[in-house]
Amino acid sequence: MHCQTGSRGTYVPTSRTIAGDPLERIERLASENAVVIFSVSSCCMCHAIKRLFCGMGVNPTVYELDEDPRGKDMEKALMRLLGNSPAVPVVFIGGKLVGAMDRVMASHINGTLVPLLKQAGALWL
Amino acid sequence: MNSPSTELTRRMAIYEQFHHISRWGDAFNVDNSPNTGSSTIVPADVRLNNKAEYISCEQVEPSISDQETNKPADKIQRRLAQNREAARKSRLRKKAYVQQLESSRLKLAQLEQELERARQQGIYKSGASGAGGFGLPATVNSGITAFEMEYTHWVEEQNRQICELRTALAAHVTDIELRILVESGLNHYCNLFRMKADAAKADVFYLISGIWRTSAERFFHWIGGFRPSEILNVVVPQIEPLTDQQHLEVCNLRQSSQQAEDALSQGVDKLQQSLAEDVASGLCSGNYRAQMVAAIDKLEGLENFVSQADHLRQQTLQQMVRILTTRQAARGFLAMGEYFHRLRALSSLWAARPRESA
């Protein structure tokens, strides 16, 4: 494995598996489904964001980080990605990062969320 | 050396005969009163008592050359007209300033009254039992006190903006001027959300309770403020006719804001539920430290919800402005402002209504 620097700041030793880097794991998981939400089961804002997508008729794939053995590392990686805000909830659509609750709501209000969902194949209408 | 004021009098006496010949103001005004003057380039802070000095500095050169016997007269007349104008503007500014002082004085008296009333109602009683007088609770209260005062000012400014909008729309001013008013309206709401963010840090329960609003407004209270979809329902009928494209976009906005509201509401419901569970666990065993810690965490989440709700309000208003034409947006802000004004008035009427004695 090569050394990773820059925004990730993690050095992955050769003994670890490819999926060891939390950010890589996040990206891999995010690309596997149209709508992916990283959440914590006790977090109420995460609950709200799940309800938002369900209310729109979207079926998101949810990863509860508190129920994942590598969840803590992934939370830290997400915090770095978003820049210090709470790590969850975070939404990926079509493998690309959309953001936390405020970005998702802003894009829903300004009408860009639905086209994004349709493009990712999460909505048909 | 002559004092500036005698210089002025002397020059005005000498050039009086040229008064009607070279006045700029003739092109615009009919009457020859000294108060009418051309609009000139006058420094904004020229004051009444500096006028004489201004004149004397500027009028040194004209008396030098013999060849320029008419030019000095023109220059003097121009200067005199400028100074008259400056004096007039200075008087108007002074009048405005005094009026502002008067209204501020009234406002201050009003605020002091409200503070006294609120103090009597016990809003400022320290929440911590036995924590002592001037520790953390005092800081928390001062954040709320500051918000209350700022909010009172906010409402007054809101009322002023409503009047300005109404006048502007009735007078059919240009779109550019309306645009400015619309932007001010939007900014004013953004200011409110900023104030609320600070107040939430001081005491989120205060915001959620809606005690800072009037009773009728509180009836419609949703996560610390107004419901965005409710605003759309109020405003849209007032700004018809809409184009087909606008109709579609408004429909989408209504739907998306409703969906966002539902999501946040469900999030808050979940928070209430888990908070109740945290507080209620182990009621009979007595020891509750761990539960309190968990509960505090949940309450911090509440701040997050108020912030997201305000964010939703702001986004909805901004999208509304994007969808509508300037004139429609102006009518929209007028409708919205008037709506809340009437709710506030309703609260006062309700409170003042005659009640039968028991």
Side-chain angles (χ1 to χ4, degrees):
Chain A
M1 286 294 293
H2 53 276
C3 176
Q4 288 149 8
T5 53
S7 59
R8 296 194 186 173
T10 344
Y11 171 65
V12 182
T14 49
S15 54
R16 287 238 211 122
T17 60
I18 295 169
D21 174 43
L23 203 58
E24 269 194 5
R25 181 147 188 267
I26 289 168
E27 283 175 358
R28 187 173 54 81
L29 292 173
S31 58
E32 284 173 0
N33 292 92
V35 180
V36 175
I37 304 179
F38 291 99
S39 154
V40 163
S41 55
S42 58
C43 164
C44 297
M45 194 57 81
C46 299
H47 180 77
I49 218 172
K50 290 176 218 164
R51 299 314 313 161
L52 178 62
F53 281 106
C54 294
M56 293 167 65
V58 173
N59 196 13
T61 309
V62 180
Y63 292 103
E64 304 285 3
L65 296 181
D66 54 332
E67 291 163 7
D68 189 307
R70 283 165 288 185
K72 270 265 170 277
D73 292 332
M74 288 165 75
E75 265 192 74
K76 283 195 206 120
L78 282 171
M79 241 186 290
R80 255 174 298 155
L81 191 62
L82 296 174
N84 262 345
S85 42
V88 289
V90 178
V91 175
F92 288 80
I93 298 180
K96 295 208 191 82
L97 174 69
V98 173
M101 181 54 126
D102 52 352
R103 292 298 316 281
V104 170
M105 271 206 316
S107 74
H108 193 31
I109 294 295
N110 71 26
T112 54
L113 186 63
V114 167
L116 204 61
L117 287 167
K118 286 187 177 166
Q119 201 179 19
L123 259 186
W124 301 272
L125 263 169
Chain B
M1 187 168 180
N2 289 339
S3 77
S5 48
T6 51
E7 258 307 290
L8 166 62
T9 338
R10 190 173 70 80
R11 288 190 187 281
M12 284 188 77
I14 290 169
Y15 297 104
E16 192 63 38
Q17 53 187 315
F18 296 110
H19 184 75
H20 297 288
I21 296 172
S22 56
R23 286 191 65 220
W24 275 14
D26 284 347
F28 310 106
N29 305 306
V30 175
D31 68 291
N32 291 325
S33 75
N35 278 340
T36 59
S38 50
S39 63
T40 54
I41 309 153
V42 176
D45 53 0
V46 169
R47 293 220 167 265
L48 197 59
N49 43 14
N50 287 339
K51 185 185 71 159
E53 289 165 16
Y54 177 72
I55 298 165
S56 61
C57 290
E58 292 294 295
Q59 290 180 344
V60 171
E61 350 90 59
S63 54
I64 294 172
S65 166
D66 282 341
Q67 295 165 346
E68 304 172 295
T69 33
N70 277 334
K71 280 198 180 167
D74 283 352
K75 275 192 187 164
I76 300 288
Q77 288 312 311
R78 207 162 31 231
R79 293 263 160 61
L80 289 176
Q82 282 173 353
N83 293 329
R84 275 194 294 277
E85 187 58 28
R88 189 176 73 90
K89 284 185 177 164
S90 182
R91 278 193 295 276
L92 285 173
R93 269 197 303 277
K94 184 177 176 185
K95 188 177 173 195
Y97 178 62
V98 168
Q99 277 176 349
Q100 206 183 7
L101 278 178
E102 287 291 313
S103 66
S104 296
R105 198 170 60 84
L106 283 171
K107 224 184 287 184
L108 182 63
Q110 203 182 341
L111 283 175
E112 282 174 342
Q113 247 185 15
E114 284 182 34
L115 258 180
E116 194 48 53
R117 210 183 313 138
R119 208 173 281 128
Q120 285 164 10
Q121 287 174 15
I123 292 180
Y124 299 101
K125 66 175 181 245
S126 169
S129 50
F134 302 100
L136 190 58
T139 328
V140 168
N141 287 339
S142 75
I144 297 305
T145 315
F147 174 79
E148 287 204 328
M149 289 185 177
E150 275 184 301
Y151 182 66
T152 311
H153 289 296
W154 188 91
V155 169
E156 279 163 11
E157 173 62 20
Q158 177 75 342
N159 290 335
R160 194 197 62 78
Q161 284 190 3
I162 295 170
C163 289
E164 207 174 356
L165 270 169
R166 195 177 289 119
T167 316
L169 283 165
H172 302 290
V173 300
T174 63
D175 267 14
I176 298 172
E177 290 169 81
L178 275 184
R179 185 88 223 162
I180 296 173
L181 291 177
V182 166
E183 293 291 324
S184 312
L186 203 51
N187 268 332
H188 199 51
Y189 274 101
C190 294
N191 287 340
L192 178 62
F193 301 139
R194 209 186 352 261
M195 282 159 50
K196 285 169 75 182
D198 291 338
K201 291 195 192 85
D203 182 3
V204 70
F205 280 131
Y206 173 82
L207 277 182
I208 292 260
S209 72
I211 198 145
W212 52 284
R213 305 177 84 195
T214 61
S215 41
E217 287 174 299
R218 216 174 297 141
F219 181 55
F220 296 97
H221 210 58
W222 174 78
I223 313 186
F226 64 82
R227 223 178 238 283
S229 57
E230 174 195 310
I231 292 308
L232 291 174
N233 289 338
V234 162
V235 163
V236 170
Q238 305 293 323
I239 57 181
E240 301 273 7
L242 299 172
T243 66
D244 286 344
Q245 176 65 18
Q246 284 179 326
H247 258 298
L248 179 64
E249 288 178 321
V250 161
C251 253
N252 287 339
L253 180 58
R254 263 177 158 149
Q255 190 182 37
S256 53
S257 63
Q258 188 66 62
Q259 284 168 343
E261 279 171 33
D262 288 345
L264 288 178
S265 294
Q266 291 183 67
V268 170
D269 286 348
K270 172 117 194 293
L271 195 149
Q272 256 189 350
Q273 195 188 331
S274 13
L275 182 67
E277 281 168 12
D278 286 339
V279 170
S281 87
L283 284 171
C284 294
S285 67
N287 180 22
Y288 59 77
R289 176 168 281 128
Q291 285 78 4
M292 288 295 133
V293 169
I296 292 274
D297 270 347
K298 287 286 166 356
L299 290 180
E300 277 162 8
L302 191 56
E303 247 182 76
N304 207 359
F305 275 99
V306 174
S307 157
Q308 292 299 335
D310 276 348
H311 180 70
L312 179 63
R313 290 172 187 117
Q314 185 166 330
Q315 292 298 314
T316 308
L317 288 176
Q318 282 172 344
Q319 179 68 1
M320 192 181 82
V321 170
R322 254 178 245 130
I323 293 174
L324 303 175
T325 65
T326 308
R327 194 154 291 268
Q328 286 170 331
R331 283 185 12 231
F333 271 101
L334 173 59
M336 193 166 75
E338 180 64 23
Y339 177 72
F340 286 123
H341 176 68
R342 288 186 188 187
L343 282 182
R344 288 191 281 267
L346 184 62
S347 308
S348 305
L349 284 172
W350 182 252
R353 80 195 188 286
R355 268 163 272 221
E356 292 171 14
S357 47

